[in-house]
Amino acid sequence: MTAWLLRRLAASVAIVFAVLTLTFVLIHLAPGTPFLPSTDDRSVGPEIIARLRRQYGLDRPLPVQYLKYIGSVAHGEFGESFSQHRPVAQALADAVPNTVLLGIAALVIEFTLGIALGAYQAARARRRVDAALSHLTLFFYSVPTFWLGLALLLVFGQWLRWLPVGGVSDPIVHDTLPWAGRVFDTLRHLVLPACTLGLVGAAGTARYQRAAMLEVIHQDYIRTARAKGLSERRVLLRHALRNAVLPVITLLGLSLPFLLTGAVLVETVFSWPGMGKLAADAIFSRDYPVVTAAAILAAAMVALSSVVADLLTALADPRVRLGDGDAA
Amino acid sequence: MTQPGGTAPLLAVRDLKTYFVTGRGGGTARAVDGVSFELYPGETLGIVGESGCGKTVTSLSILRLIPEPPGHIRPGSYIEFDGRNLLTLAPRDLRAIRGNRIAMVFQEPMTSLNPVFTVGDQIAEAAVVHQGLSRGAARARAIDMLRLVGIPDPETRVDDYPHQLSGGMRQRVVIAMALVCRPQILIADEPTTALDVTIQAQILELLERLQAELGMAVMLITHDLGVVAGTADRVVVMYAGQVVETASTAELFAGPRHPYTEGLLASIPRLDRPADRLTSIPGNVPAATHWPAGCRFHPRCPHAWDKCRREEPPLLDAGTPGHTARCWLVVEPQRRRPAP
Amino acid sequence: MLRTWVSLAVLVAGSTGGAFALRRRCERTGRGRRFFRHPTATTGVAVLTFFVLVAVCAPLVAPYDPSAQPDPVGLQNRPPSWLHPFGTDLYSHDVLSRVVYGAQVSLGVGTLAMLVALTLGAVVGAIAGYTGRWIDAVLMRLVDVGIAVPRMFLLLMAVALWSRLPLGTLIVLIGVTGWFGTSRLVRAEVLSLRERPFVDAARALGARSGRVIFGHVLPNAAAPLIVSAALGIGHVMLLEAALSFLGIGVRPPVASWGNMIADGRDLLTIAPWISLVPGLGIAAVVMSLNAVGDALRDALDPREEAT
């Protein structure tokens, strides 16, 4: 178990390391000297560029730069943000909690709603409700995340005015509110972005869950459970669902990349100051240190989440024993 | 050994018809087509036939475990238990009988246990649902049941998951699971088919011992007349969705009246017959969507004549009480052709 | 304007009729009947055919030049009318014309990028699965890395570093970041096929590795590839839309459904049609692609044969 965990973590570190290398290569393949601020500016003379190059160590040989780069990343230093004039680490430290909050809320919606819908559909398989829900999930699975965000924003934020249209909190009154009021204010701001992200994910999960559930429902042990005199509810919710959820847990680990991708868009639509918006904004301001730092962090999160998903699967499925035969 | 003399039957199946609608335009498969028999308290009834004869569907129909759709039990079918028709019972009342008064053991111990629950949980579950056992009592009951079915070290085994047990052990667990509420009827559908021969004997012995201890009636469904010979009191032989012969075990083996039964008997190896006489019935069971007209066995029957092709024989009394056969030979024995 | 209505009607009739004719033919000949048994397959084929035809016949269908700005002052953000069925946008472009030409870009980018990804994935997967040993190990670790990086971040980084990307490069980039899953699929398929007798036979006849892979193994792995291609186009279309929405994908004045949604973003309250229409277009096409992909998977899955 411990050995397995160590091995998996080592693999994750290796993956992050590879991503680091990749970003380094990309940066140096790129035209110009992107890691220097304001070199696009025509007015900057060559001698200033040379000085900046020296200052940022860009005149050293590539292997030295590479080692230095790895070393500083290992210390959590991603350099200085050009646009925000502060260390990238600080900007990330402000943004990551917001993304984590949004991500967790979206994951909760994605999996509770997705599993419930899929299980319900499987129980009513090939009836009219199932067909209707299948079309609905197919729609949400196919619609662009940011477009759904805009549509929700238009309906609930602009027309109905039930919910705020963006941001993480009310800029004027938030700080004057008592503790509970501040939490409520944040939750109100969270509803639309989390629903946007969660609904798209839930549609995918529901499609997957329905298929998994349908496969389980035809297993012999479901018949055994019925023969025991259990209620249909107990058969489905206890015996079938528990088995059908197992593959979905693996999906949880795989869904994180999509969630982060979605976060870039949803955070942009709702001006949610998280990692995704930080990265997207950084692109427009040509703030390369921030972009690369966000990519590395995202890769690390994905690698870690797949370890967590494997752990969860092992917890939920007594047949899976960590440590043997997980080479793949 | 209870004889079906004067006692009332515990379970009476009357004209059971279970049909399956197969894919588009495929027609209706009449898997069980007018089956009747009785099960008496305390007896072991063997139900015998080749695969595809409808014996498993019959057993599943009793507890209404047929997947619907595609299957359905035709109106007019009747299964009487405890003075009520199981087929028209409200789902709630039916569930009170399933696993509590009538329990089932399935063929595949590998797949009929849920992989994600401990065997203890699964054994006790029926008792928890039907008798409202507490957590602690449920665990104690599960341990008792494991001991009853002869699993060593039940206190630790109770927390095992199915995949940690061998095939024979799993079938013992399945039996323990079925017996946890002390049912009056145990339906065992090919309980030994998936097991090694030595384990088969152990499981049959176990079933016999438990039946004696608990006084229940057992319906033993099998394709193997050898299994029936050692355990059953009476035998129902099924062919093509129908009962073709019923008799006490002794009588069936001594004087079968249906050519199909004769064929089945001839195909089991016996010590008192030279091995080169071992025969098999020619041909296969026809498709359930297209049963032959007349006697359904006539295409494979060595004695068939034109009446067999035209007219379907009813179950005819074959002399001794309780012995019936669905064959015109019972009334026209002169038509029997001598064995080649 | 009349030309637009007539050609749209013809295309709707043609694609629906075509899809149903195809279904009837499949039902008669028996081939592909399992595909059409899927409840949404016929609709999916019809919708896809319609949009492909619209893209191909864009000059015929579009009532105006998509980048014409007839009256930047008087014709701004007009709601749908007879002359502008989907309204106009901030620059007085006709939204319908832009959606029609945008279909060319969106469908084109989706198809081409998917082809790039599919080719790369098939080649890498086949090589890894067929040669095995260290080549396999190295390639698969590379795939692990590729899957671990969220594609969006990789693209963001690449696009940001190179700034103004030509459309062709964008397509290649999307393709290059999207082959990892396909290569795993192909590798698994090749591994299971490698030991089959017909591969041995080909090898015994002296065929070279490349010939064995591309002539014998890959054609047999076609089924999962076709399915992943159908689903992949939809995926790429969503990605292109996302990138264009962020302003780093297809650049105006060329219209793509993604940058059209972005154009309408700030006008959501006063002119929602600008974003709404292209969004529905994407949803319709991706839905059909997913429906067709699902149906293909069911039809090509040998396990389904029994039921």
Side-chain angles (χ1 to χ4, degrees):
Chain A
M1 171 77 193
T2 324
W4 174 87
L5 200 61
L6 283 176
R7 213 162 55 234
R8 283 301 307 262
L9 285 175
S12 306
V13 169
I15 284 177
V16 172
F17 195 75
V19 172
L20 257 170
T21 311
L22 194 70
T23 54
F24 181 82
V25 170
L26 270 177
I27 290 163
H28 285 270
L29 273 178
T33 48
F35 247 84
L36 286 181
S38 60
T39 39
D40 282 352
D41 204 337
R42 291 279 140 76
S43 63
V44 181
E47 66 283 357
I48 298 179
I49 290 182
R51 207 190 66 219
L52 282 170
R53 283 179 67 96
R54 241 189 340 274
Q55 185 187 330
Y56 283 86
L58 294 181
D59 54 346
R60 311 262 195 86
L62 273 185
V64 178
Q65 287 190 43
Y66 178 67
L67 287 177
K68 199 173 151 256
Y69 177 65
I70 300 282
S72 56
V73 169
H75 287 96
E77 287 164 25
F78 293 96
E80 184 95 357
S81 163
F82 302 159
S83 57
Q84 302 194 14
H85 305 292
R86 58 173 180 161
V88 175
Q90 235 174 60
L92 279 177
D94 284 349
V96 166
N98 286 330
T99 295
V100 169
L101 178 66
L102 175 62
I104 288 175
L107 271 183
V108 169
I109 294 173
E110 177 174 343
F111 281 88
T112 47
L113 188 66
I115 289 172
L117 263 182
Y120 178 78
Q121 278 186 269
R124 299 270 180 288
R126 287 179 239 301
R127 306 233 192 113
R128 220 170 282 164
V129 206
D130 174 38
L133 285 174
S134 283
H135 283 102
L136 197 71
T137 52
L138 182 62
F139 174 77
F140 278 104
Y141 184 69
S142 306
V143 77
T145 318
F146 56 94
W147 184 80
L148 181 66
L150 288 175
L152 291 180
L153 191 86
L154 181 65
V155 174
F156 295 101
Q158 304 275 16
W159 289 347
L160 298 173
R161 296 198 174 275
W162 288 355
L163 292 163
V165 294
V168 73
S169 59
D170 192 298
I172 302 160
V173 297
H174 186 80
D175 290 328
T176 67
L177 290 170
W179 181 83
R182 285 210 296 273
V183 171
F184 180 72
D185 183 46
T186 304
L187 282 181
R188 257 169 56 85
H189 283 80
L190 183 63
V191 172
L192 281 182
C195 280
T196 307
L197 210 48
L199 279 178
V200 173
T205 309
R207 282 159 57 83
Y208 199 78
Q209 177 72 41
R210 176 180 179 272
M213 193 82 173
L214 277 180
E215 209 165 309
V216 168
I217 278 178
H218 292 110
Q219 298 292 320
D220 286 353
Y221 54 77
I222 296 302
R223 191 177 60 188
T224 310
R226 290 209 175 98
K228 278 186 193 172
L230 309 184
S231 64
E232 200 58 15
R233 201 186 154 77
R234 194 176 164 105
V235 170
L236 289 176
L237 291 187
R238 199 174 130 86
H239 285 263
L241 194 58
R242 180 74 192 275
N243 279 282
V245 156
L246 294 178
V248 176
I249 295 175
T250 316
L251 195 71
L252 184 94
L254 294 175
S255 77
L256 205 83
F258 292 98
L259 205 69
L260 285 171
T261 301
V264 175
L265 297 159
V266 170
E267 288 178 1
T268 305
V269 169
F270 291 98
S271 317
W272 185 266
M275 250 176 82
K277 184 160 173 16
L278 187 71
D281 287 347
I283 285 161
F284 292 107
S285 48
R286 310 253 156 255
D287 197 347
Y288 308 108
V290 172
V291 181
T292 44
I296 291 163
L297 200 62
M301 286 167 95
V302 170
L304 205 67
S305 78
S306 90
V307 180
V308 172
D310 282 353
L311 273 175
L312 284 174
T313 309
L315 278 180
D317 189 344
R319 286 164 299 180
V320 175
R321 293 230 318 280
L322 297 177
D324 35 56
D326 60 275
Chain B
M1 285 279 179
T2 314
Q3 290 303 317
T7 46
L10 192 55
L11 180 85
V13 176
R14 293 269 167 267
D15 200 23
L16 175 69
K17 289 181 177 167
T18 307
Y19 292 178
F20 290 84
V21 179
T22 56
R24 268 182 212 172
T28 303
R30 293 177 287 163
V32 173
D33 204 10
V35 162
S36 303
F37 62 86
E38 293 90 32
L39 181 68
Y40 292 91
E43 75 164 338
T44 299
L45 176 70
I47 297 195
V48 184
E50 290 166 279
S51 49
C53 72
K55 53 192 194 303
T56 296
V57 176
T58 303
S59 69
L60 290 174
S61 300
I62 294 173
L63 285 180
R64 279 159 60 188
L65 290 169
I66 297 292
E68 293 181 46
H72 65 284
I73 298 173
R74 302 283 294 170
S77 308
Y78 191 78
I79 295 175
E80 189 186 307
F81 174 71
D82 204 16
R84 292 186 291 180
N85 182 2
L86 292 183
L87 298 179
T88 54
L89 228 48
R92 198 186 173 76
D93 297 330
L94 181 69
R95 286 203 301 269
I97 290 174
R98 282 181 182 170
N100 188 23
R101 303 183 61 192
I102 304 179
M104 283 195 80
V105 168
F106 295 100
Q107 179 171 354
E108 273 288 343
M110 307 294 166
T111 56
S112 49
L113 287 169
N114 195 325
V116 298
F117 296 113
T118 63
V119 296
D121 278 348
Q122 295 189 62
I123 291 172
E125 189 173 18
V128 170
V129 168
H130 294 297
Q131 302 170 354
L133 249 55
S134 69
R135 258 181 103 82
R139 191 183 156 83
R141 174 75 73 87
I143 294 173
D144 284 348
M145 292 309 295
L146 285 172
R147 192 173 292 121
L148 183 71
V149 296
I151 287 184
D153 199 10
E155 285 84 2
T156 49
R157 284 301 187 186
V158 73
D159 294 320
D160 276 2
Y161 287 93
H163 71 275
Q164 294 167 300
L165 302 175
S166 69
M169 291 277 230
R170 281 188 225 184
Q171 195 59 302
R172 284 171 194 266
V173 168
V174 172
I175 291 170
M177 201 161 75
L179 298 183
V180 70
C181 291
R182 306 282 153 117
Q184 288 158 286
I185 300 175
L186 179 72
I187 303 173
D189 184 4
E190 305 263 12
T192 58
T193 309
L195 304 173
D196 293 342
V197 183
T198 46
I199 315 273
Q200 279 190 13
Q202 288 174 17
I203 294 290
L204 287 173
E205 229 165 83
L206 172 72
L207 276 175
E208 217 166 346
R209 174 170 68 79
L210 291 172
Q211 181 184 19
E213 269 175 48
L214 308 177
M216 61 194 172
V218 173
M219 225 174 106
L220 184 68
I221 290 142
T222 175
H223 65 280
D224 188 348
L225 269 177
V227 167
V228 160
T231 36
D233 303 309
R234 289 192 309 126
V235 182
V236 168
V237 181
M238 283 186 68
Y239 182 79
Q242 295 178 319
V243 173
V244 293
E245 186 160 5
T246 325
S248 71
T249 310
E251 201 162 326
L252 189 91
F253 278 81
R257 301 300 299 270
H258 195 288
Y260 177 64
T261 316
E262 288 170 18
L264 283 182
L265 284 172
S267 60
I268 24 174
R270 279 163 64 161
L271 290 175
D272 57 353
R273 252 196 329 232
D276 61 297
R277 290 282 306 278
L278 201 63
T279 51
S280 66
I281 307 167
N284 291 311
V285 182
T289 43
H290 298 91
W291 295 132
C295 171
R296 291 183 183 176
F297 188 60
H298 85 254
R300 299 172 76 187
C301 182
H303 311 291
W305 68 96
D306 42 331
K307 185 179 187 179
C308 302
R309 281 173 208 109
R310 272 195 334 266
E311 262 180 86
E312 184 168 356
L315 268 176
L316 298 161
D317 267 324
T320 42
H323 192 166
T324 56
R326 192 185 288 275
C327 182
W328 291 122
L329 282 175
V330 173
V331 287
E332 294 181 64
Q334 70 281 8
R335 292 281 193 171
R336 177 174 287 275
R337 288 189 197 152
Chain C
M1 208 58 231
L2 184 68
R3 191 194 62 209
T4 303
W5 290 116
V6 169
S7 50
L8 271 180
V10 168
L11 292 189
V12 168
S15 50
T16 324
F20 275 94
L22 188 67
R23 176 162 122 180
R24 265 197 308 279
R25 218 188 109 186
C26 283
E27 269 165 5
R28 210 175 47 241
T29 58
R31 286 190 56 177
R33 193 191 295 158
R34 278 175 45 191
F35 172 78
F36 280 106
R37 202 182 294 161
H38 208 275
T40 46
T42 318
T43 325
V45 170
V47 173
L48 273 187
T49 317
F50 172 73
F51 278 102
V52 171
L53 287 178
V54 164
V56 171
C57 312
L60 213 69
V61 179
Y64 308 98
D65 177 355
S67 40
Q69 302 183 14
D71 186 356
V73 184
L75 214 56
Q76 261 187 10
N77 304 332
R78 285 298 180 83
S81 63
W82 275 112
L83 283 175
H84 301 280
F86 290 154
T88 62
D89 69 6
L90 180 65
Y91 311 104
S92 78
H93 296 137
D94 175 55
V95 173
L96 174 63
S97 305
R98 284 183 79 74
V99 167
V100 167
Y101 278 93
Q104 284 186 339
V105 175
S106 292
L107 286 173
V109 170
T111 314
L112 292 175
M114 184 278 301
L115 281 178
V116 172
L118 204 64
T119 317
L120 269 173
V123 169
V124 173
I127 291 174
Y130 191 81
T131 54
R133 277 177 292 190
W134 67 269
I135 299 181
D136 181 28
V138 168
L139 287 176
M140 284 304 112
R141 291 301 83 75
L142 193 69
V143 168
D144 286 346
V145 176
I147 285 179
V149 194
R151 199 173 173 184
M152 180 63 97
F153 283 86
L154 212 60
L155 283 169
L156 284 183
M157 206 158 66
V159 174
L161 286 167
W162 269 273
S163 54
R164 310 215 150 248
L165 275 182
L167 200 55
T169 320
L170 182 73
I171 290 170
V172 171
L173 262 180
I174 294 178
V176 165
T177 52
W179 54 271
F180 308 110
T182 313
S183 74
R184 273 193 183 170
L185 200 83
V186 171
R187 174 178 173 268
E189 204 70 21
V190 168
L191 278 182
S192 76
L193 287 166
R194 195 170 61 173
E195 309 305 328
R196 299 273 193 83
F198 68 89
V199 175
D200 280 341
R203 242 182 314 209
L205 288 172
R208 283 209 324 249
S209 301
R211 212 187 138 77
V212 175
I213 294 179
F214 293 102
H216 297 269
V217 175
L218 271 187
N220 281 287
L225 272 183
I226 293 171
V227 175
S228 89
L231 301 175
I233 296 179
H235 212 92
V236 172
M237 284 184 62
L238 289 177
L239 196 64
E240 178 272 320
L243 288 175
S244 300
F245 175 71
L246 291 174
I248 51 178
V250 179
R251 289 180 183 271
V254 177
S256 92
W257 290 348
N259 69 27
M260 288 181 70
I261 298 176
D263 283 346
R265 189 188 155 194
D266 297 326
L267 306 163
L268 217 51
T269 29
I270 47 170
W273 50 87
I274 304 173
S275 290
L276 222 55
V277 175
L280 285 174
I282 296 179
V285 172
V286 178
M287 256 176 105
S288 316
L289 280 166
N290 284 333
V292 168
D294 284 352
L296 275 174
R297 180 170 42 212
D298 288 357
L300 296 172
D301 185 356
R303 282 186 310 168
E304 288 280 308
E305 206 78 68
T307 51

